[in-house]
Amino acid sequence: MARLYNLLADIAKVDEVLLIVKSGGATAEIKSNALKIRQQSETGVGWITLGSNDDPAHLHVNPEHVSRAEFVREQKPERISFSVRFYDESGERVLAAFFTRMYDESGCVIPWRERTYEQLRQKYDSQITFEKTAATPH
């Protein structure tokens, strides 16, 4: 769980990252521009909160439902997209963090933005498996 928290904390520090949550018939998109992050454990599960409960939008992540993440560079028709995608045990995407504004006006990748993404990928590896915490007795 600490590794998931650390990865989300590092992503939350990066400007121009779009966090996307898909759930059935709805999609939520939240810009990460310097989101606060904290661990909540009053429920015994240790939810991770990005943003503040008082903000217009914030995100609660249950680390028990995130089993792995991967850094994805995906070739699109006009450019490459840069993301970190988080999956549950059945391989369904729980959350994605898309690094936006990666290109300048002429369509060239902005070197320092790409370096930021690559430094995170190198720090965490391109594919990450998160250890489950022991179940809390009720």
Side-chain angles (χ1 to χ4, degrees):
M1 183 162 38
R3 194 163 186 212
L4 174 60
Y5 178 89
N6 292 338
L7 175 55
L8 288 170
D10 283 344
I11 290 170
K13 293 176 193 171
V14 179
D15 284 339
E16 303 299 340
V17 172
L18 187 63
L19 299 167
I20 299 177
V21 179
K22 286 189 176 188
S23 176
T27 300
E29 298 179 347
I30 302 168
K31 281 194 174 183
S32 74
N33 297 343
L35 284 176
K36 293 181 243 169
I37 185 169
R38 63 191 166 91
Q39 189 86 37
Q40 292 179 291
S41 59
E42 61 268 5
T43 61
V45 174
W47 288 71
I48 299 167
T49 300
L50 292 132
S52 169
N53 287 337
D54 296 328
D55 290 343
H58 57 280
L59 176 65
H60 300 289
V61 177
N62 183 340
E64 295 297 315
H65 292 276
V66 180
S67 62
R68 67 183 182 87
E70 68 180 274
F71 284 76
V72 178
R73 290 177 75 133
E74 184 176 19
Q75 182 65 54
K76 300 286 186 170
E78 302 111 27
R79 53 182 64 172
I80 297 170
S81 79
F82 299 81
S83 64
V84 182
R85 300 177 192 184
F86 299 84
Y87 300 94
D88 64 15
E89 286 184 0
S90 63
E92 294 295 318
R93 192 174 89 189
V94 175
L95 172 67
F98 286 89
F99 288 65
T100 62
R101 307 219 189 258
M102 296 292 288
Y103 294 86
D104 63 19
E105 304 81 36
S106 62
C108 296
V109 145
I110 300 170
W112 70 266
R113 297 273 305 153
E114 184 176 27
R115 252 190 324 277
T116 299
Y117 177 84
E118 286 302 319
Q119 287 168 345
L120 283 175
R121 188 186 63 75
Q122 289 173 6
K123 179 177 180 179
Y124 291 98
D125 293 327
S126 55
Q127 293 194 9
I128 307 134
T129 301
F130 301 110
E131 298 291 324
K132 294 291 180 197
T133 58
T136 305
H138 296 284

